[in-house]
Amino acid sequence: MLLLLLLQVSAICLWLGHSEVVRSFESSCPQFFFRETPPNEALEPESPAWICQRYKSQYYFATLYDRDRRIPVYSAYLYQPGPGKRPKTWLVEPQLMGATYPKSMEREWTLLNYFNASLEQLSKSQAILQDYKNLTGLNRGHLNPSGHHHNVSSRTATFTLTNIIPQDEKLNGGAWNNYEQQTMIRKTKGCNNTYVVVGAVPGSTYIAKGRVNKPSYIWSGACCELGSTQRKAWGVIAENSKNEVQLLSLGELEDVLSHLYGGQQVSLFDSDCPRE
């Protein structure tokens, strides 16, 4: 009986130490979703990880991560742009290796040298820097872009590889960048709060010797609160091989994603966010 009790206590302690890779966003970091409602399960991969992205003891956004394909399914955040330099330090997610590792994102070098982690352990759990070296025609593409955040820590937090996909370099530096930096400014005029979910549809090809999936499409949905009862919404989608972005209503984006993800109806936001 005593042994059973000790085992139960140990299991509880293990889970508590693993708190930032969470059971659900609703229970741990719901603030990044309109009406605290994440996208529905239609987007969930076979091997998901729900990550409340934590940097220096603070949450900055939420990411649903595909452990098998080693790319994010989506990242969700509040749009709060501000001036500042683009960070240069790339981070990884220690929690994906297990409960004994730090809760906050860290540099690869720090994990390998101070936390008794091996590169093999790290690479089994997620994409690593080596996976994104010597890319041809592709960039490290942010789902949650650093330019949509207003201070050094929040921008740095977006530089985790769990927020990165292999993105077509012309799209990343062209039409997608124009959407992030220009269209978003126009669309959010008058918004008090803008909730954003940016995602990637898995593709049929991989980089890094089959380790990291190259998405076929990149998409983004936004829900803006104009006042206590007024809201507007929109969406965009782009093929990850063309320098073109298509502007859609939220409802149109959800319908397109429902087809791309296999037929189950996709819902990105609470029903109070307008679909037309």
Side-chain angles (χ1 to χ4, degrees):
M1 189 70 180
L2 179 60
L3 178 59
L4 179 60
L5 179 61
L6 289 172
L7 287 173
Q8 288 174 333
V9 171
S10 297
I12 292 170
C13 290
L14 179 62
W15 175 250
L16 290 175
H18 208 185
S19 60
E20 272 60 52
V21 173
V22 299
R23 290 177 185 253
S24 74
F25 291 135
E26 293 97 327
S27 63
S28 302
C29 52
Q31 65 268 32
F32 302 113
F33 303 93
F34 174 64
R35 294 281 173 85
E36 300 189 348
T37 304
N40 68 344
E41 60 188 19
L43 300 178
E44 290 179 16
E46 290 186 7
S47 184
W50 291 267
I51 306 171
C52 294
Q53 298 280 16
R54 175 171 162 158
Y55 178 67
K56 291 186 176 180
S57 301
Q58 183 174 338
Y59 292 144
Y60 287 103
F61 62 105
T63 298
L64 176 60
Y65 192 70
D66 187 333
R67 292 176 181 268
D68 293 335
R69 296 183 178 94
R70 296 184 178 88
I71 57 171
V73 178
Y74 64 74
S75 286
Y77 60 96
L78 279 163
Y79 176 71
Q80 298 174 317
K85 294 182 179 180
R86 180 181 171 90
K88 296 181 180 180
T89 300
W90 288 96
L91 305 165
V92 291
E93 190 54 67
Q95 308 160 73
L96 289 176
M97 289 189 294
T100 60
Y101 294 97
K103 297 177 182 178
S104 295
M105 56 185 75
E106 295 282 354
R107 292 187 302 159
E108 275 187 20
W109 187 90
T110 302
L111 284 174
L112 300 181
N113 287 276
Y114 289 100
F115 291 96
N116 199 31
S118 70
L119 195 59
E120 182 181 5
Q121 282 177 294
L122 185 61
S123 66
K124 284 181 179 178
S125 68
Q126 60 200 280
I128 59 174
L129 289 171
Q130 181 63 39
D131 294 327
Y132 283 92
K133 287 186 176 179
N134 304 316
L135 295 177
T136 301
L138 298 169
N139 289 154
R140 301 174 189 177
H142 287 68
L143 293 191
N144 176 4
S146 65
H148 286 186
H149 298 272
H150 66 285
N151 61 40
V152 173
S153 292
S154 58
R155 288 193 295 271
T156 300
T158 69
F159 272 68
T160 168
L161 293 182
T162 53
N163 180 49
I164 298 298
I165 58 165
Q167 185 173 11
D168 181 90
E169 63 180 359
K170 291 182 180 178
L171 175 63
N172 190 27
W176 194 260
N177 183 67
N178 290 341
Y179 171 71
E180 290 179 337
Q181 305 303 329
Q182 298 176 26
T183 306
M184 278 292 287
I185 292 175
R186 294 196 303 270
K187 297 289 285 185
T188 55
K189 283 185 178 178
C191 296
N192 295 326
N193 295 299
T194 302
Y195 295 87
V196 184
V197 180
V198 185
V201 180
S204 58
T205 60
Y206 286 75
I207 66 166
K209 298 180 180 179
R211 281 181 40 80
V212 179
N213 186 265
K214 178 194 170 187
S216 55
Y217 289 86
I218 303 163
W219 53 268
S220 178
C223 185
C224 147
E225 293 179 317
L226 295 163
S228 58
T229 59
Q230 286 185 304
R231 287 168 283 278
K232 66 178 180 178
W234 62 91
V236 293
I237 194 166
E239 287 189 57
N240 195 21
S241 58
K242 298 179 181 178
N243 188 20
E244 300 174 7
V245 171
Q246 184 179 6
L247 185 62
L248 305 168
S249 69
L250 177 58
E252 288 172 334
L253 174 61
E254 290 177 333
D255 287 344
V256 171
L257 294 179
S258 299
H259 172 72
L260 292 173
Y261 281 94
Q264 184 179 350
Q265 183 60 44
V266 169
S267 175
L268 298 178
F269 297 99
D270 178 86
S271 59
D272 279 348
C273 201
R275 265 54 187 183
E276 296 181 355

